[in-house]
Amino acid sequence: GSLESLQQQAAESVGVTPKQLPALIRLTVLQQRLSDALIANLPATPAQLEAEYRKDIDQFDQLDVAQIAVSNKALANRLLSKARQDPSTFGALAHKYSQDSQTADNGGEVGLVGRSQVVSLLGAAKAKVGSIQLIHTQGEYIVLHIIRREVTPLSEASSQLKSAMYAGQATALLQKAISDEA
């Protein structure tokens, strides 16, 4: 729909009028920035950050994948063979053969998924960038193409990890800071 329709829906979902929505958005962003600034001053040991990183590793270690989903094993094997022979044809094959209507139209592109999800299906040895593998799940055969891997190192995720660690305290810290300032 239109921008006005989107604004109307957003306003209704949070219980304000469309005219009040911009002020609410500004207030929400300001509160988030203040919370982030307050959390930045809180202590976090390298071990705590590492533990938080490992806990949510799929957020920081992801694979960009595409798929072709079919119900016939013979077809899946033919598609696997064709895709392995010429990976550049994967998108066209997905568009033509995949039964997954959500991904078929865009060449089978699923997007970024947690690496551990793919490793649990394939094993670490087969979950390599550039590989094209066959998976059988719940009566469906999936030809999976691992396009690229995106890893956010711990050093770049520290502020995000710290925010996650102290998320439960953010509101109280913000309220205290506002009270102290008042």
Side-chain angles (χ1 to χ4, degrees), residues 40-68:
N41 294 327
L42 296 176
T45 66
Q48 289 173 313
L49 293 172
E50 173 79 21
E52 191 71 26
Y53 184 79
R54 292 282 164 228
K55 185 176 88 177
D56 293 328
I57 192 64
D58 277 350
Q59 184 177 340
F60 305 109
D61 189 357
Q62 300 181 321
L63 296 173
D64 184 15
V65 299
Q67 69 175 8
I68 304 170

Side-chain angles (χ1 to χ4, degrees), residues 63 65-70 76-77 79-81 83-85 87 90 118-119 121-137 140-147:
L63 296 173
V65 299
Q67 69 175 8
I68 304 170
V70 296
N77 283 323
L79 293 169
L80 176 66
S81 178
R84 283 181 172 168
Q85 286 174 2
F90 193 93
V118 177
V119 167
L121 292 170
L122 296 173
K126 291 183 177 182
K128 303 267 190 231
V129 172
S131 70
I132 300 174
Q133 304 293 335
L134 182 61
I135 302 168
H136 180 242
T137 62
E140 187 173 55
Y141 295 90
I142 298 173
V143 179
L144 188 71
H145 183 197
I146 301 173
I147 300 165

Side-chain angles (χ1 to χ4, degrees), residues 94-175:
H95 186 73
K96 183 174 181 180
Y97 293 102
S98 186
Q99 297 171 346
D100 182 347
S101 60
Q102 292 182 329
T103 61
D105 289 342
N106 60 349
E109 180 68 28
V110 173
L112 293 171
V113 297
R115 183 175 174 273
S116 72
Q117 294 171 352
V118 177
V119 167
S120 71
L121 292 170
L122 296 173
K126 291 183 177 182
K128 303 267 190 231
V129 172
S131 70
I132 300 174
Q133 304 293 335
L134 182 61
I135 302 168
H136 180 242
T137 62
Q138 301 171 358
E140 187 173 55
Y141 295 90
I142 298 173
V143 179
L144 188 71
H145 183 197
I146 301 173
I147 300 165
R148 67 185 171 89
R149 184 176 181 188
E150 191 173 291
V151 178
T152 303
L154 175 61
S155 60
E156 291 178 20
S158 293
S159 62
Q160 186 178 351
L161 294 166
K162 209 172 185 186
S163 291
M165 285 173 51
Y166 290 110
Q169 298 172 18
T171 303
L173 290 168
L174 182 58
Q175 288 175 346

